[in-house]
């Protein structure tokens, strides 16, 4: 299972929110590149980079941070937050993103999102399936849609989607453990899905459980920043996997 630390960006700084609420913002580092380099130094190869300013303003904002991390580390970066147009995607890929994540757009502008899958291929496009009470949430989680989570994923699988990041918003940033049962159910009701678990990871012991369920990757945010999971533990896990 791939270990994918998260860096969330507001005003160019590395922050974390709880349940997607911008009022809960906590700044962990003024320099995201330093954080990314530390991840890389511990054998981590992947990074989940979220442009929270972009999510709010509905277009890419922090592409300079992306460019800096991509050009000064060898991390493979998936980038998301406010990507709405072909131009946003061009900027993201030109700035060094290996993959992009589309969440709100996959709900609000299906035609555009489907065109990205066709144009860039399903290795480059990740479906962001963020849910509250198993209903898809959009616009930086500020709105709940009427779309049920699992049918939403199944529909996009028909369009070729392979990678899905699923965040249970009620768990995000709460350090109370991930939604094991939800991930089990998603994997039992889909075929050949590369499911990336996100939200709620709080202890190292949860990682082997997610791997056992069949998650292809897991995104870890606050647990790293609050020293609940050490980079040394992650380094050992990666070496021994």
């Amino acid at each position: 299972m791939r270990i994918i630390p998260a860096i969330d960006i507001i005003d160019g700084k590395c922050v974390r929110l709880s349940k997607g609420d911008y009022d809960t913002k906590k700044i962990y580092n003024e320099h995201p590149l330093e954080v990314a380099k530390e991840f890389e130094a511990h054998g981590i190869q992947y990074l989940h980079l979220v442009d929270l300013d972009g999510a709010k303003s509905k277009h890419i904002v922090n592409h300079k941070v992306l460019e800096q991390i991509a050009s000064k580390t060898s991390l493979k970066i998936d980038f998301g937050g406010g990507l709405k147009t072909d131009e946003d995607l061009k900027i993201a890929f030109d700035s060094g993103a290996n993959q992009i994540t589309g969440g709100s757009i996959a709900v609000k502008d299906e035609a555009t999102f489907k065109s990205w899958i066709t144009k860039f291929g399903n290795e480059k496009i990740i479906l962001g399936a963020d849910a509250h009470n198993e209903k898809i949430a959009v616009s930086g989680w500020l709105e709940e849609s009427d779309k049920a989570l699992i049918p939403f994923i199944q529909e996009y699988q028909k369009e070729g989607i392979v990678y899905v990041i699923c965040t249970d918003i009620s768990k995000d940033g709460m350090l109370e453990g991930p939604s094991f049962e939800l991930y089990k159910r998603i994997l039992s009701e889909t075929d050949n899905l590369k499911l990336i678990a996100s939200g709620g990871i709080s202890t190292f012991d949860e990682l082997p459980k997610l791997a056992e369920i069949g998650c292809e990757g897991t995104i870890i945010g606050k647990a790293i920043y609050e020293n609940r999971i050490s980079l040394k533990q992650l380094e050992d896990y990666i070496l021994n996997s």
Side-chain angles (χ1 to χ4, degrees):
M1 183 177 71
R2 291 186 300 135
I3 299 297
I4 313 167
I7 294 180
D8 290 0
I9 306 294
I10 291 179
D11 296 332
K13 297 167 186 171
C14 176
V15 307
R16 296 305 294 170
L17 309 180
S18 296
K19 296 186 181 179
D21 181 351
Y22 285 74
D23 292 336
T24 64
K25 178 179 80 175
K26 182 173 180 182
I27 297 170
Y28 284 97
N29 196 307
E30 304 265 335
H31 306 290
L33 178 61
E34 285 179 8
V35 180
K37 282 187 165 174
E38 198 175 352
F39 293 155
E40 186 180 40
H42 284 83
I44 286 160
Q45 297 173 23
Y46 303 94
L47 178 67
H48 178 65
L49 188 63
V50 182
D51 181 357
L52 288 173
D53 293 313
K56 220 172 192 181
S57 54
K58 297 181 169 50
H59 61 84
I60 193 167
V61 174
N62 286 295
H63 52 90
K64 292 288 180 204
V65 175
L66 166 60
E67 190 173 34
Q68 198 179 32
I69 294 173
S71 62
K72 297 192 172 162
T73 73
S74 61
L75 295 170
K76 296 180 183 75
I77 303 168
D78 79 76
F79 183 83
L83 301 174
K84 296 285 178 272
T85 64
D86 289 3
E87 181 59 22
D88 286 334
L89 243 66
K90 184 178 187 310
I91 293 168
F93 284 130
D94 286 352
S95 299
N98 294 84
Q99 295 176 301
I100 67 92
T101 301
S104 302
I105 187 155
V107 176
K108 295 189 160 186
D109 186 354
E110 293 180 21
T112 295
F113 189 68
K114 287 173 183 176
S115 77
W116 293 350
I117 302 167
T118 305
K119 186 174 177 183
F120 297 99
N122 59 13
E123 290 292 315
K124 291 276 189 187
I125 307 295
I126 303 171
L127 176 64
D130 302 331
H132 193 256
N133 300 322
E134 294 199 34
K135 287 282 198 296
I136 293 292
V138 294
S139 303
W141 304 346
L142 301 173
E143 298 171 41
E144 201 172 285
S145 76
D146 58 358
K147 290 187 181 292
L149 172 63
I150 293 176
F152 176 72
I153 293 171
Q154 291 167 332
E155 283 303 309
Y156 270 112
Q157 277 200 292
K158 290 175 191 167
E159 301 295 330
I161 277 292
V162 175
Y163 287 94
V164 173
I165 294 173
C166 181
T167 307
D168 181 343
I169 294 166
S170 67
K171 302 280 190 182
D172 185 67
M174 303 311 290
L175 297 172
E176 292 168 355
S179 291
F180 294 113
E181 293 308 315
L182 178 62
Y183 298 138
K184 266 187 207 169
R185 208 159 72 254
I186 291 170
L187 286 164
S188 72
E189 294 184 35
T190 57
D191 292 318
N192 303 316
L193 188 71
K194 293 186 176 178
L195 182 65
I196 299 162
S198 167
I201 312 295
S202 58
T203 67
F204 178 77
D205 297 343
E206 291 156 0
L207 301 182
K209 286 185 196 169
L210 288 168
E212 200 175 311
I213 288 169
C215 292
E216 189 270 342
T218 184
I219 292 169
I220 312 171
K222 195 175 272 188
I224 293 173
Y225 298 108
E226 297 282 343
N227 299 312
R228 302 285 191 96
I229 297 176
S230 72
L231 292 177
K232 181 73 177 76
Q233 283 177 303
L234 295 178
E235 186 174 10
D236 291 344
Y237 178 85
I238 292 162
L239 281 172
N240 295 318
S241 290

